[in-house]
Amino acid sequence: MAAETGRYRSAVSKSKDPSGLLISVIRTLSNSDDVQDRETEKGRLEEAFEKCDHDLDEQIVQHYAELTTAIRTYQSITERITSSRNKIKQVKENLLSCKMLLHCKRDELRKLWIEGIEHKHVLELLDEIERIKQVPQRLEVSMASKHYLHATDMLVSAVEALEGHLLQVEGLGDLRLELHSRKLNIHLVLIDELHRHLYIKSTHRLGHKNKDKNARGPGSAGRDVSPMPLLDGSSLSTPRKLMDSSQFSTPGAGSVREDGREADLPEVDPEEDSQKFMGILIKGLSKLKKIPEAIKAIMERLEPELKQIVKRSTTQIADHAYQRGENLAQESQPRLLLELLELLFDKFKAVAQAHSVVLAQLQQMVKESPSGAHKEGIKLYEQADVSAKIQTVLQWRAANETAQRI
């Protein structure tokens, strides 16, 4: 029995597991038949318990502050965890309630969402229709102020909308016809403006320079005046061009400035830079897809326009001679003919330079065209064509002069 007790105590001293110790004690008491050994073991356990209780009290006394702080912290953490659990439980209940309510109102919400999208689209269409209804008035203002590119963009976009997603709007039928008709004819205005800059605007300053030069030269007063033979062709004006009196005015004099002018239109005269203005006209014709028609009109009107320059120059020389008091007798005709040739050479040179600008713009438009020149049927003319026509007109003028002398 003593040997068993020693083995037990050795096992207890080596073991640090409380459950293992308890099992060893129970096994020892169960195997022991001696009451004295049981009492001894009981006394030993009571002694160890009292010692442990005493050590625990000492530890509590020594670490009372830390123990109090730990207990309070644990209590606070426990309260916060409990509160968070309650809040999460409440959130879950609210989400379940919202889910149930949304499920019940799902069809109604979908209907309201679709109606909102439809109303937004209708408002956008109404705003677009209102803007398109103002296009004719805005187009008049832009055309009158010669902002042709802005007018072309506005007209093309309006017609595309009217013939596209607004095609089924019955109330826009008259407006659709009106804008479509304007789109079919606006390129004629651009072509006329292009010819005005090619043949009149480019040579306008040359006529005034020649006049100033002749005014500074010596005059021959007291001679008979007979300018009528040289004025036979002066009454033939360039088609749709010389009827405009603004062509002989200073830049910007033909532009209409209205009080209802759009805010997005610049105040600068668009014709101030003739080369830039011709580029704008080419861009407008490109947007209208009328480049082939423009090239055809340029080639058809090239020779008549050059002849009109000859006639206007002849009239200018005769008028300047009359203002200087000179007559058109046989002896003064060689000098007047020389002045005429000098003026014609200067004007034809200016016309050729203007055509080079137009050709450069046309070539740029063809390069930027996504379908290419061949698919659109665009066949550009060349600078040699202009030179050939100029030579033909000069030969025609020389033949007329020879016929008059004969």
Side-chain angles (χ1 to χ4, degrees):
M1 186 66 183
E4 293 178 358
T5 303
R7 288 196 301 271
Y8 163 71
R9 289 177 178 175
S10 177
V12 169
S13 63
K14 293 180 181 179
S15 177
K16 294 183 179 180
D17 188 3
S19 59
L21 179 60
L22 181 59
I23 293 173
S24 299
V25 172
I26 294 174
R27 184 184 299 114
T28 302
L29 293 177
S30 300
N31 295 332
S32 178
D33 295 334
D34 190 357
V35 177
Q36 184 64 32
D37 289 339
R38 293 179 179 178
E39 290 296 332
T40 302
E41 185 66 25
K42 178 180 177 182
R44 192 184 63 78
L45 289 174
E46 289 178 351
E47 181 182 356
F49 176 76
E50 289 177 357
K51 184 178 183 302
C52 182
D53 190 39
H54 181 267
D55 292 340
L56 181 60
D57 290 340
E58 288 182 353
Q59 293 293 328
I60 291 174
V61 171
Q62 292 178 3
H63 301 283
Y64 179 77
E66 291 85 350
L67 182 60
T68 303
T69 302
I71 292 174
R72 289 178 179 176
T73 303
Y74 176 76
Q75 184 180 2
S76 174
I77 293 173
T78 304
E79 291 177 353
R80 291 171 64 182
I81 291 175
T82 304
S83 176
S84 298
R85 287 177 177 176
N86 293 332
K87 290 181 179 179
I88 291 174
K89 183 179 179 181
Q90 185 66 30
V91 169
K92 288 182 178 180
E93 293 176 355
N94 293 336
L95 288 175
L96 290 174
S97 177
C98 290
K99 182 178 180 181
M100 185 178 298
L101 293 174
L102 289 174
H103 183 75
C104 296
K105 299 289 185 179
R106 180 176 57 186
D107 296 336
E108 184 177 353
L109 289 174
R110 182 183 290 110
K111 181 180 178 182
L112 293 175
W113 177 68
I114 294 175
E115 288 180 355
I117 294 178
E118 291 176 351
H119 290 160
K120 181 180 179 180
H121 184 62
V122 169
L123 288 175
E124 291 176 353
L125 288 179
L126 290 176
D127 291 340
E128 186 176 6
I129 290 173
E130 189 64 28
R131 290 194 299 269
I132 291 177
K133 288 173 63 178
Q134 297 176 359
V135 166
Q137 180 180 0
R138 296 171 59 192
L139 188 62
E140 292 292 340
V141 175
S142 299
M143 295 295 291
S145 59
K146 296 185 181 295
H147 289 89
Y148 294 118
L149 186 58
H150 180 270
T152 303
D153 288 336
M154 181 170 51
L155 181 60
V156 170
S157 61
V159 172
E160 288 179 353
L162 289 173
E163 296 180 351
H165 58 278
L166 298 179
L167 183 61
Q168 303 300 326
V169 182
E170 297 180 356
L172 299 176
D174 294 339
L175 181 61
R176 186 181 299 108
L177 292 176
E178 178 185 357
L179 293 182
H180 185 71
S181 176
R182 292 195 179 192
K183 183 183 176 183
L184 293 177
N185 297 322
I186 190 174
H187 72 283
L188 299 177
V189 179
L190 301 185
I191 291 175
D192 284 348
E193 284 290 335
L194 182 60
H195 280 82
R196 188 169 68 87
H197 275 261
L198 280 173
Y199 303 106
I200 298 178
K201 205 74 174 178
S202 62
T203 61
H204 167 65
R205 296 184 180 277
L206 295 176
H208 286 282
K209 290 181 180 179
N210 186 74
K211 179 178 179 180
D212 296 338
K213 182 178 68 175
N214 292 336
R216 290 192 298 268
S220 55
R223 298 181 181 178
D224 296 334
V225 180
S226 56
M228 292 305 294
L230 293 178
L231 295 178
D232 293 338
S234 62
S235 60
L236 300 177
S237 62
T238 306
R240 296 192 300 274
K241 302 311 286 182
L242 293 180
M243 297 174 64
D244 183 9
S245 60
S246 64
Q247 61 192 358
F248 296 112
S249 61
T250 57
S255 300
V256 178
R257 306 293 181 181
E258 299 184 4
D259 295 335
R261 180 175 184 167
E262 295 183 60
D264 56 348
L265 293 180
E267 295 293 336
V268 181
D269 179 20
E271 292 188 284
E272 184 176 356
D273 188 345
S274 182
Q275 295 185 2
K276 183 179 179 180
F277 187 73
M278 287 190 292
I280 290 175
L281 294 175
I282 296 298
K283 290 181 180 178
L285 291 168
S286 177
K287 289 182 179 295
L288 293 170
K289 302 185 185 303
K290 296 294 183 179
I291 293 295
E293 288 81 354
I295 296 176
K296 181 180 178 181
I298 289 174
M299 294 306 299
E300 290 179 350
R301 294 168 59 171
L302 178 56
E303 185 172 346
E305 293 285 0
L306 293 175
K307 290 181 178 180
Q308 288 296 327
I309 290 178
V310 172
K311 293 179 180 180
R312 290 195 299 270
S313 300
T314 303
T315 303
Q316 286 180 356
I317 295 298
D319 290 343
H320 296 164
Y322 178 77
Q323 292 173 3
R324 293 194 302 267
E326 299 178 2
N327 59 16
L328 300 180
Q330 190 72 22
E331 63 273 8
S332 62
Q333 285 189 2
R335 182 176 54 81
L336 296 178
L337 180 60
L338 180 61
E339 292 180 6
L340 176 61
L341 290 176
E342 291 178 353
L343 180 60
L344 286 178
F345 287 152
D346 291 339
K347 287 189 175 183
F348 285 163
K349 182 179 179 181
V351 169
Q353 292 177 351
H355 272 283
S356 66
V357 173
V358 172
L359 277 172
Q361 292 291 336
L362 289 173
Q363 292 171 356
Q364 184 68 25
M365 288 296 104
V366 170
K367 289 181 180 179
E368 295 177 356
S369 176
S371 57
H374 297 289
K375 293 183 179 180
E376 293 187 3
I378 299 177
K379 184 179 180 182
L380 298 178
Y381 68 100
E382 299 179 355
Q383 191 71 26
D385 298 331
V386 180
S387 301
K389 289 295 182 182
I390 290 176
Q391 185 175 0
T392 300
V393 171
L394 288 175
Q395 291 175 354
W396 166 80
R397 182 66 183 90
N400 288 346
E401 183 69 21
T402 303
Q404 289 180 2
R405 289 184 178 182
I406 295 175

